[in-house]
Amino acid sequence: MANDVPKTQGSAQVLRKQANWEELYFYQKSNVLYQLTFVFTQRFLTRGDRTIDQMVQAARSGKQNIVEGSADGVTSTEMELKLLNVARSSIKELKEDYEDYIVSRHLERWGQQHARYDGMLKFCRQHNSIDDYQAYFEKWSDEEMANIALTLCHMVDRMMTTYEKQLEDTFIKEGGIKERMTAARLGYRTNQREEIARLKQELEQANRRIVELEERLRKAGVAL
């Protein structure tokens, strides 16, 4: 996505370059979460259960707010951070629903001592694309899907925490759009002043050269 704005030498860039959200691992995993949750609710929850809409909407909100935050981040780091926080809140809400499902159905939450924990963790770490998961959506049991979803929720939240910290550091260093616009204006004015000073210096040098040439011509007896 080409969102770079040309800038003159020495000036500040007003608009930030938009992150390619499709390449963000936490977005890719959030997309998997949404698709997995849609299938999970269709397979294992009774039609008419309000939890279906709650889980699907929470999963969708997590994914969509990452996209919107990335787009808004071009002009406002503050807005991007707010939308990413909304996304994290939605993912946490989804995590609660999966945990409630496991508890209420007396299923097992796969902790570090579980025989399949390491394999599950390795699979979720190594795979981000929906294509890597989709083939299992109709094969996994509800316990398997719920534990995979919980692992993805945890990973997305942790990745987003790191990403938000980087954005906060950038905001502290570069400021928001108002600060960048001010810097750009100051940079433009500085460039103008430097250019005027350079031209004045060249004019003074040219005038001195003319005086020197005129003096040489007079000494040579050339009428001016």
Side-chain angles (χ1 to χ4, degrees):
M1 300 181 185
N3 286 289
D4 286 350
V5 177
K7 56 181 179 178
T8 57
Q9 185 175 4
S11 67
Q13 182 170 315
V14 176
L15 298 182
R16 291 173 52 226
K17 182 177 179 181
Q18 180 174 342
N20 187 347
W21 44 267
E22 292 180 318
E23 294 182 357
L24 296 172
Y25 288 158
F26 60 80
Y27 167 77
Q28 294 171 7
K29 291 183 186 296
S30 73
N31 185 43
V32 172
L33 264 174
Y34 171 68
Q35 302 296 339
L36 183 151
T37 298
F38 183 85
V39 175
F40 178 88
T41 56
Q42 297 300 307
R43 286 186 62 195
F44 301 116
L45 294 179
T46 306
R47 182 172 298 180
D49 188 338
R50 287 185 299 176
T51 308
I52 295 176
D53 288 338
Q54 292 172 3
M55 293 182 71
V56 172
Q57 287 303 315
R60 184 180 184 279
S61 174
K63 177 174 74 79
Q64 291 301 112
N65 277 291
I66 292 171
V67 176
E68 293 178 22
S70 178
D72 286 348
V74 172
T75 55
S76 174
T77 304
E78 182 181 4
M79 182 58 69
E80 182 175 9
L81 286 167
K82 287 181 179 178
L83 288 169
L84 290 178
N85 277 324
V86 172
R88 285 184 61 203
S89 295
S90 297
I91 295 299
K92 288 179 180 179
E93 179 183 339
L94 181 64
K95 179 173 174 286
E96 287 292 321
D97 284 329
Y98 275 112
E99 288 177 342
D100 288 344
Y101 182 93
I102 287 176
V103 171
S104 62
R105 271 72 174 183
H106 306 291
L107 303 177
E108 188 172 0
R109 178 73 164 92
W110 297 358
Q112 293 183 3
Q113 304 305 317
H114 193 278
R116 297 184 61 186
Y117 176 81
D118 289 339
M120 173 186 66
L121 198 62
K122 182 178 179 180
F123 180 85
C124 291
R125 281 175 175 168
Q126 293 180 345
H127 297 283
N128 302 306
S129 171
I130 183 64
D131 295 335
D132 298 329
Y133 292 80
Q134 214 156 20
Y136 300 101
F137 283 175
E138 298 297 334
K139 299 177 181 178
W140 280 332
S141 66
D142 54 348
E143 182 174 297
E144 290 172 317
M145 289 189 84
N147 277 285
I148 290 286
L150 285 170
T151 301
L152 290 173
C153 284
H154 176 73
M155 289 182 174
V156 169
D157 183 69
R158 188 174 59 187
M159 288 178 180
M160 290 184 71
T161 299
T162 301
Y163 187 75
E164 284 182 312
K165 181 62 170 62
Q166 294 172 351
L167 286 179
E168 289 170 357
D169 291 343
T170 299
F171 183 78
I172 291 171
K173 293 175 182 176
E174 300 178 5
I177 188 170
K178 290 181 180 179
E179 290 82 359
R180 293 197 299 274
M181 288 177 68
T182 299
R185 287 195 296 268
L186 291 174
Y188 176 72
R189 291 171 184 170
T190 299
N191 284 343
Q192 282 188 317
R193 288 195 295 269
E194 290 175 351
E195 182 67 10
I196 291 171
R198 184 184 65 80
L199 291 173
K200 283 183 177 180
Q201 185 178 24
E202 289 180 0
L203 180 59
E204 290 172 358
Q205 290 173 347
N207 287 333
R208 285 196 298 269
R209 181 62 175 161
I210 290 172
V211 171
E212 290 173 359
L213 289 173
E214 288 176 344
E215 182 65 22
R216 289 172 61 186
L217 290 172
R218 275 196 295 270
K219 289 181 178 178
V222 178
L224 297 177

